Amino acid sequence: MLDADFFRRWMTAAAAAVDREADRLTELDSPIGDADHGSNLQRGFTAVAIVIEKDAPATPGAVLTLAGRQLISTVGGASGPLYGTLLRRTGKALGDAAEVEEAAFADALRTGVDAVAALGGAAPGDKTMLDALVPAVDALGTSFAAARDAAREGALATTPLQARKGRASYLGERSVGHQDPGATSSALLFEALAETADANDASEADRG
């Protein structure tokens, strides 16, 4: 079972991952976007980590809803609404339960991913964050590590694609050969999730 503390630690780990990779995300965004993806997400997730520590939401759903709301209010461009929608809709789907099963979390996260697809009008293969999110959610039923690996592979697989949605789509064929920054940052979320799960398992083993 996953409690609010697990989700708070996930968001904190995500903020650390984004902070660590911010320059790389901006470098990926430079040839096909506005060269601000890393700095925007860094600002947003730093704010998320601060507000979650300050307010200490008591349920998994409340943690993600607050995180999503914070991202929408602090991240510019398309990233804020997209990531904010992902987390808010996932949190809403989790409801008010104090603890959630991994399967319920996977179902809720799929609801969040579907909301992102609806908001952006994109699908896998369009060279967007969905190229990492969809395979990760599909693999989440297997394990957190499998979801991490699927997201990472999905992000890498965007390199030969031509963008059909978002800012990069304006470049047409010139978008080919560049890894999508949104898919790359989405993969960081699942790296943080797997890291949090590993730490959780280690803590439970120590207690056992």
Side-chain angles (χ1 to χ4, degrees):
M1 298 291 284
L2 309 174
D3 60 10
D5 182 61
F6 177 91
F7 286 88
R8 287 193 295 265
R9 286 187 286 114
W10 176 30
M11 290 295 100
T12 300
V18 169
D19 186 64
R20 183 177 65 246
E21 298 292 332
D23 289 345
R24 176 169 173 257
L25 293 175
T26 292
E27 182 180 328
L28 290 174
D29 194 38
S30 183
I32 59 174
D34 295 324
D36 60 359
H37 188 64
S39 57
N40 279 344
L41 281 189
Q42 186 178 38
R43 181 174 63 254
F45 273 96
T46 296
V48 166
I50 291 171
V51 75
I52 284 176
E53 181 177 356
K54 175 175 176 284
D55 292 359
T59 66
V63 172
L64 296 187
T65 299
L66 177 60
R69 190 163 61 242
Q70 191 68 24
L71 288 175
I72 289 171
S73 67
T74 57
V75 179
S79 297
L82 290 169
Y83 273 104
T85 294
L86 172 68
L87 296 179
R88 285 182 66 185
R89 290 297 294 271
T90 300
K92 183 177 179 181
L94 289 175
D96 297 326
E99 295 182 323
V100 297
E101 295 181 349
E102 291 181 14
F105 170 48
D107 288 343
L109 191 56
R110 186 176 297 279
T111 299
V113 171
D114 289 345
V116 169
L119 178 62
D126 285 342
K127 200 182 181 89
T128 72
M129 61 195 297
L130 290 174
D131 288 303
L133 292 177
V134 171
V137 170
D138 288 344
L140 194 55
T142 301
S143 69
F144 291 115
R148 174 199 61 207
D149 294 345
R152 187 180 297 157
E153 291 167 10
L156 290 172
T158 62
T159 301
L161 299 178
Q162 179 173 328
R164 293 196 289 260
K165 293 290 181 181
R167 174 70 177 79
S169 66
Y170 303 154
L171 299 177
E173 292 183 358
R174 285 181 293 157
S175 64
V176 173
H178 301 283
Q179 185 172 324
D180 183 68
T184 305
S185 57
S186 295
L188 292 178
L189 276 185
F190 286 91
E191 288 185 22
L193 179 62
E195 175 188 320
T196 303
D198 286 345
N200 199 56
D201 291 344
S203 177
E204 289 182 357
D206 288 343
R207 287 198 300 268

